[in-house]
Structures are given as C-alpha cells and as structure tokens.
Amino acid sequence: MVISLLFNNQHIFAQCNTIIDVDFNNWNDRRYSIADIKSDFNNKVKPWTGSTYRGVEGPGAANNLIENTPQETRIVNGTLRAQYLKNDASGRSGGFLFDPYFDGVEEAYLEYKIKFDDNFFWATGGKLPGLGGSTSGINSESTGRGTIPSGCRYNTNGWSARLMWRRNRAQTNAPYFILYSYFADKENGDPRVDGDCGDGKRIYTDLKDDKWYTIRQYIKMNTPGQRNGTVIMWIDGEETYRDDNAKIRNSGKSNLKINALIMNTYRGGSRTDEVWHSPRTEYTFFDDFKVWTGCSNTDNNPNQLPTVALTNPSQNNQTFTLGETITLRANAADPDGDVDRVNFKINGSYYKLDKTSPYSVTWTPTEAGTYTIGARAFEEGQEGLSTEVIRTIIVTTDTNNNTSCSYGTPVASGIGAMDKISYSNTYVVGNGGPNLSNIKEFSINWNPQYNGLYQFAFNTKNGTPDWYIDYKNSMSYQLKNAKPEVTLSNTGIANLDGSYWVTKNGNDFVMVSKTKAFSIYFSNSSSTPACNKASVNQKIEEKMIVYPNPIKGEVIHVGGLSTTTKSLQIVDLRGRIIKEISSENTSETIDVSDIPAGSYLLINKSKHSRQSILFIK
C-alpha cells in the first residue's frame, strides 16, 4: 500500500509504503481479544505466528498480554481502551502488551492518537507505544519477549523507543511525555554506569486529561556503531524533540533494524512501588495506529500547520449575558494545503464543527460562569496536523434592568500603590452580591514595587464573621500588571467568595465580579456611586473582505469598510502590532512588502465595532 505525504511548504510529495494502518472502527463495543488483534494486524504485517507477535502466544503469554489477565482491554466508540487496575502497576495488571513484527527497515514513521481519561490520576508514570527492533524471534519459532530490551538491563540484540507519561515521585509537578529509549548508548547494561532502565528525554510538558494528542515518531537507523541515526518526535504536528546523532545499534549489528510496533501501555515502574499506583481503576484511549516507511524525505521541512484565529469572542474576558445566543466565529487557513474543518470546544470538550469558511457555530450557555472557548483547525487529509487557539469569556446573570457596573474592567494597567488606605463606606451595586451592611471599614495596603499585598481587611459592626478579618494570606491576587484581579475564598460571608476584576475609580476602590452581575464599591463618600457600565454588545461589521489571500504580491487590498473613522492593524499571532493605519475610506490598499512571510490578523477597530480576518503572506 502506498500513500502520499506532504512534508514541506514547497509541495514536495514523498512516496511512503504503509506497513500498519489500524483504526479499530470495524468492531462494535466489545472486549478486544487475541483473535481481534489477529484480524486487525494480520496480512498488514508478518503473518501471525508465535515468532512474530511477542507476548501473545507461547511461553509467558498469559502474563504479557491481554487474555487471561485481570485487566480488560475493550473497543469503546471505535477506540482501543486500556484498563489500569487500581493499587497496582506493571503489565500484569494493567494495559496491554503485544508487538506486531514486520520486515526490517532502516527508517520508519509511527503515528497514533492517545487520550487519558477525564480526571486521570497520573501517579508517577506509565509506558506508551513506540517503535523497536530485535534480531531474534523474527526468522525462527522462538517466542516470549524476544530481545527487545526492557527492565533495567540492555542487550545488544534489540532496541526500543517507547514513550512514557511521567510525573515527579512526589506528584507535585505537572505530568509530561518522555521518549523512553533503549539504544546502544546503554551497552554496558549496568545501572551504576548507564542509569536505571531506559533513557528518558522530555518531549512535551504539562499534559492534560480528557484531551486527544497525536503522537508522531520518526526513526532512521544509524550506520552500525556510528552516531548518525535520527530520532524525531512531534506532538499534535509540532516538532518537540530531535536527535540527529543517535547511536541506536552497535558495530556488527547491521541486521538489527526497525521491525516492531511495540504496543505497550501500563503503569510503572516497580509493581510494588506505590508511587506508580492509582487509588482507582482508570483508562487510556488509543486510535489510528499507522506505521510507514520508504519515504524519500526525512521531514527536515515538515508540513506547516494550518492557522486559526477566533474572531468571536474577539478578546479574552469578553462578557456575555446568560441566555444570550453567542455566535462562535473563527478564520482558518493553511499555508500549504486546505483546511478540512474547524472544531469548536467549550471548556476543553468538543462542541460542534463547521466545514465551511467563514467558520461559525452558535451556543447558548445555560449557566453563568467563566468559560474557555477553543477553535481547532484541521488540515484536509492530515488529521494529525492541526492547531488550536483558546479564549476565556464571562457569562453573567445580567438583565436589561440590572444596574451593575463594570467600571471599564478588566483595565489595561496594574493598581498603583495604596499605602494603608481605609474606606468607611461599602456599596454593593447590582444583583446577586453579598450583604455587606455590617462592614464598618475596608483597609488595603498594596506596594507594587515589591508585589506586596500587606492588608486586605474588613472591620465589622457586629463581629460577624469576626470583628477584624484580613484575607491577605487566604486570597490570590494579581495587582501589578494589566488586568488586575483578586480571588477570595472561605471568607465566611455569603456570596462574597469568587473572582473579581479590580480597579480604581478616582480615589475609590472597586471589585467587579467576573461571573455575576454585581460590583463592590469602596469609598469615603456618602453618595451612592453612579454606574458607567460598558456595553457588552458590539455591532460587528460583516462585509470586510481581504484579498488576495494568501498574498501574491507586495500589497493587500481591504474592502467593505464603513465610512467611520477606524484603525486597521496588522497583528502577528503573538499579538504584536506590525503595522497600523487610520482610515475613513470604504477600501484601502496596504503595503506589506516589509512584513516577513507568515500568518497575520488584519483587525478593523472603530468606536463601536471590531472585526478581524486571518491572512497569509
């Protein structure tokens, strides 16, 4: 089977031979057995025998795979689900172990998808699939674990490049991916010389649960004994690790090649070491395993990712009203291909997709709160090549007769020094806020030079919940930079706990609830504060067009503009303004000859509207 893969932005195609292509879609929800493995992998790799599938037939099979083991591997919604039993580790009580062998090759790619279950307990780590090779158990009837190395001793007749998810033993840091390799560099086979077990190279930081990741691995074998092998890793289409000086096999081992997909996943680590255990039984999901070889390009210039930009919400912390139907919009483009679709996500979970540009879906939130909106663009024919952007929005319970005030929050600068300032009057403006009628005085002592909040305290009139309460040690805050905010918890006052934008209104201090329709206003004036609530609804111009896109010359044309005074900004994807002009015309031509090649946003900003379009140079 031959497939074409796009490897660079000059549209150079490399012809590759597919060895394995398994997606598990041919099974209904069921237990995944050895017979199912044979059906999925047979005739795609070497014919099924004890010598070509390590761990599923012959001596030791019951301890190494999938049948006659406590855990149960299942097909769930077209994915392969591994089960890890609670309070245990190793392949004897978790995951699966089997190795489809194939004819040896000098270079190969592996790609698959993985998702850790919602609220996954990471513990200290666990094994994941990767490529490997062995010189025995291939052309004979030998069985068992062959010579692919594992445990804490290396042998020169095999190698492996599995992955692991890892976390520090104290389990205080975020989990991450490592490349867990047994290469010829560990030829001494002595943990005192080479370190315990395989080598771990961090390739991705801050793993999340309930999120699909696409893993891609490229291995090119070294000239035996020389350091000229290549190992490359990509996560979600982004190169995260490269070694062009890898020593995978020793001198005299030319028959040691890439000839196995090591289908391994389990917790551990030592089975008896509790830091590898989880207190509950949990699951990991796998899909779309592919192995291919014979490519004429080693991917030094990989296919470029599609680009995507959210145009609504157009900025972080944009506010919407509960019950309002929100149109989520995105622009997407691909520098060297076509966009297949844009998936929209809410709080990290898939919501809806749109396959037609401009991409949009509608959503009506049912609860007030802070939400994360995501948009992910997928390249046509390259499911692993995608990119994602996110923004945070705030949905409030505000209604037409609500008198809450936002006072321009979040503001663009930090809070200036407040040296032991006290306020004798506290006003709660809006609906759903706390009853603070018993507050006699609010005091704040803030020093931005040292980022020190030395007092954030209430004096009460009646001793409820206490006569003096200082929250400085129990709260979180960011007051020094743009978008200053505080979060209060365990205050002892009903409806006071929560997150607030903060600002100064003249000499007064204001806290604006992020999720509800009220503000708390501290002042030494006896007059109730007036509201200057900012409108949350903006009129969006729908007619702006940008052409040509991608740019073919040195200028870009913009049409469909209003006659109002407006600012046209070219902004890179890091948010930096590259060029800006002021215009009252209905069309403009902008010189972009001095702008480097890349993806940019053209933003149209006027007093009452904002629109952005993604373009490529």
Side-chain angles (χ1 to χ4, degrees):
M1 181 178 180
V2 178
I3 59 174
S4 293
L5 295 174
L6 181 64
F7 280 108
N8 59 35
N9 58 0
Q10 282 77 40
H11 289 76
I12 298 175
F13 287 83
Q15 296 296 318
C16 303
N17 298 316
T18 297
I19 299 173
I20 292 174
D21 188 355
V22 177
D23 60 15
F24 311 107
N25 292 335
N26 56 323
W27 305 112
N28 295 323
D29 288 3
R30 57 179 290 169
R31 177 178 174 275
Y32 195 62
S33 67
I34 291 177
D36 296 336
I37 297 175
K38 291 180 179 181
S39 177
D40 277 337
F41 291 92
N42 201 17
N43 297 323
K44 298 183 177 70
V45 295
K46 293 176 72 67
W48 182 283
T49 67
S51 65
T52 57
Y53 280 78
R54 174 170 65 94
V56 299
E57 292 181 352
N63 291 330
N64 284 333
L65 167 73
I66 197 167
E67 243 164 48
N68 303 318
T69 53
Q71 70 270 23
E72 182 180 75
T73 303
R74 292 192 67 86
I75 302 296
V76 177
N77 297 324
T79 66
L80 183 64
R81 189 187 75 178
Q83 181 186 55
Y84 311 126
L85 299 185
K86 66 180 181 180
N87 300 323
D88 210 336
S90 86
R92 297 183 180 183
S93 57
F96 47 76
L97 286 164
F98 62 100
D99 300 342
Y101 280 102
F102 45 87
D103 289 329
V105 296
E106 289 290 326
E107 59 89 26
Y109 289 86
L110 162 67
E111 184 175 282
Y112 63 90
K113 296 177 183 177
I114 180 173
K115 181 178 77 168
F116 298 90
D117 205 4
D118 187 23
N119 200 31
F120 188 81
F121 187 84
W122 302 97
T124 300
K127 305 294 191 300
L128 297 171
L131 292 172
S134 166
T135 60
S136 65
I138 306 302
N139 298 313
S140 66
E141 293 303 315
S142 62
T143 56
R145 295 195 63 83
T147 57
I148 293 179
S150 61
C152 291
R153 294 190 64 84
Y154 177 76
N155 70 76
T156 60
N157 292 319
W159 66 275
S160 62
R162 293 175 296 174
L163 276 70
M164 289 187 70
W165 83 86
R166 285 302 308 266
R167 199 178 189 187
N168 62 321
R169 288 180 65 88
Q171 300 175 12
T172 54
N173 298 337
Y176 52 91
F177 279 135
I178 67 168
L179 175 65
Y180 185 69
S181 59
Y182 288 83
F183 292 161
D185 287 333
K186 298 190 73 66
E187 58 193 22
N188 291 304
D190 186 344
R192 294 170 297 179
V193 177
D194 297 310
D196 293 337
C197 308
D199 286 327
K201 302 292 193 304
R202 187 179 299 215
I203 61 172
Y204 188 85
T205 301
D206 198 16
L207 277 176
K208 305 295 184 184
D209 57 14
D210 198 28
K211 168 182 167 59
W212 280 105
Y213 292 94
T214 298
I215 310 295
R216 181 182 287 181
Q217 179 181 77
Y218 175 75
I219 304 286
K220 182 180 180 182
M221 297 299 287
N222 62 306
T223 303
Q226 298 184 25
R227 295 184 179 277
N228 60 1
T230 300
V231 181
I232 312 175
M233 295 298 310
W234 296 263
I235 308 295
D236 290 339
E238 179 179 353
E239 183 179 309
T240 61
Y241 175 81
R242 176 184 287 262
D243 181 3
D244 292 313
N245 301 290
K247 183 182 177 184
I248 303 170
R249 57 187 173 181
N250 284 332
S251 299
K253 297 295 181 180
S254 59
N255 61 337
L256 180 57
K257 299 183 179 183
I258 308 167
N259 60 7
L261 166 57
I262 308 177
M263 292 288 286
N264 284 191
T265 184
Y266 52 89
R267 290 189 181 274
S270 169
R271 186 177 189 182
T272 59
D273 189 345
E274 294 182 356
V275 300
W276 301 94
H277 295 180
S278 169
R280 55 183 180 265
T281 294
E282 293 178 308
Y283 305 96
T284 300
F285 301 85
F286 298 86
D287 204 0
D288 296 334
F289 281 88
K290 299 178 177 67
V291 177
W292 64 92
T293 187
C295 302
S296 61
N297 189 309
T298 59
D299 213 4
N300 289 318
N301 296 299
N303 187 4
Q304 296 186 60
L305 295 175
T307 55
V308 62
L310 277 166
T311 58
N312 195 48
S314 58
Q315 58 188 4
N316 276 321
N317 303 311
Q318 192 170 337
T319 304
F320 298 89
T321 303
L322 183 64
E324 175 185 356
T325 297
I326 305 170
T327 299
L328 309 179
R329 297 188 184 92
N331 290 327
D334 194 322
D336 52 10
D338 295 314
V339 174
D340 175 70
R341 68 187 185 278
V342 170
N343 285 5
F344 291 90
K345 301 168 74 174
I346 298 172
N347 288 344
S349 298
Y350 168 78
Y351 174 61
K352 288 182 179 179
L353 67 83
D354 190 6
K355 297 178 74 72
T356 305
S357 177
Y359 306 92
S360 67
V361 298
T362 58
W363 169 57
T364 304
T366 58
E367 294 183 359
T370 300
Y371 292 87
T372 299
I373 305 300
R376 187 174 190 184
F378 289 81
E379 180 177 342
E380 186 172 1
Q382 297 283 346
E383 288 296 302
L385 293 178
S386 61
T387 189
E388 181 173 333
V389 294
I390 60 172
R391 282 206 176 96
T392 300
I393 68 166
I394 300 166
V395 177
T396 75
T397 56
D398 197 8
T399 60
N400 290 332
N401 61 357
N402 198 314
T403 58
S404 67
C405 300
S406 66
Y407 296 94
T409 57
V411 295
S413 58
I415 303 296
M418 301 183 70
D419 186 12
K420 300 179 181 178
I421 305 296
S422 295
Y423 298 99
S424 57
N425 294 303
T426 302
Y427 302 94
V428 179
V429 184
N431 298 325
N435 182 352
L436 299 180
S437 60
N438 69 327
I439 300 301
K440 180 180 180 180
E441 186 176 71
F442 168 70
S443 302
I444 181 171
N445 186 0
W446 157 245
N447 187 324
Q449 180 180 356
Y450 300 104
N451 196 29
L453 183 62
Y454 304 114
Q455 187 181 34
F456 197 96
F458 289 147
N459 290 90
T460 68
K461 301 174 183 177
N462 58 4
T464 303
D466 206 340
W467 293 101
Y468 176 80
I469 321 154
D470 193 343
Y471 296 119
K472 68 178 184 294
N473 293 324
S474 61
M475 63 187 290
S476 61
Y477 62 91
Q478 191 289 107
L479 301 176
K480 186 175 181 179
N481 302 312
K483 300 180 181 179
E485 60 181 306
V486 299
T487 299
L488 300 174
S489 58
N490 300 316
T491 60
I493 300 176
N495 298 323
L496 180 60
D497 288 7
S499 295
Y500 299 83
W501 300 119
V502 296
T503 188
K504 295 286 295 294
N505 188 35
N507 293 323
D508 301 334
F509 184 72
V510 188
M511 297 168 50
V512 179
S513 173
K514 288 187 178 184
T515 59
K516 298 180 181 178
F518 71 88
S519 299
I520 303 174
Y521 195 101
F522 301 102
S523 176
N524 286 315
S525 171
S526 59
S527 300
T528 302
C531 286
N532 63 345
K533 180 183 171 185
S535 172
V536 299
N537 296 313
Q538 294 182 327
K539 181 181 178 183
I540 302 295
E541 298 182 32
E542 300 287 354
K543 298 182 179 179
M544 185 174 79
I545 57 174
V546 175
Y547 62 94
N549 189 6
I551 297 173
K552 300 183 183 302
E554 301 300 329
V555 297
I556 190 168
H557 303 282
V558 186
L561 303 174
S562 69
T563 57
T564 60
T565 301
K566 67 194 80 63
S567 170
L568 297 176
Q569 298 175 336
I570 294 177
V571 179
D572 68 14
L573 297 187
R574 295 183 179 180
R576 297 176 298 185
I577 299 175
I578 306 301
K579 179 167 290 192
E580 183 173 18
I581 66 170
S582 179
S583 172
E584 295 181 356
N585 303 321
T586 58
S587 63
E588 288 286 352
T589 298
I590 304 176
D591 182 4
V592 293
S593 59
D594 57 341
I595 297 177
S599 299
Y600 299 90
L601 286 174
L602 178 70
I603 300 176
N604 170 16
K605 296 172 63 177
S606 64
K607 183 176 181 180
H608 299 294
S609 69
R610 174 189 172 100
Q611 187 178 8
S612 60
I613 292 180
L614 185 75
F615 71 91
I616 296 172
K617 181 181 178 186

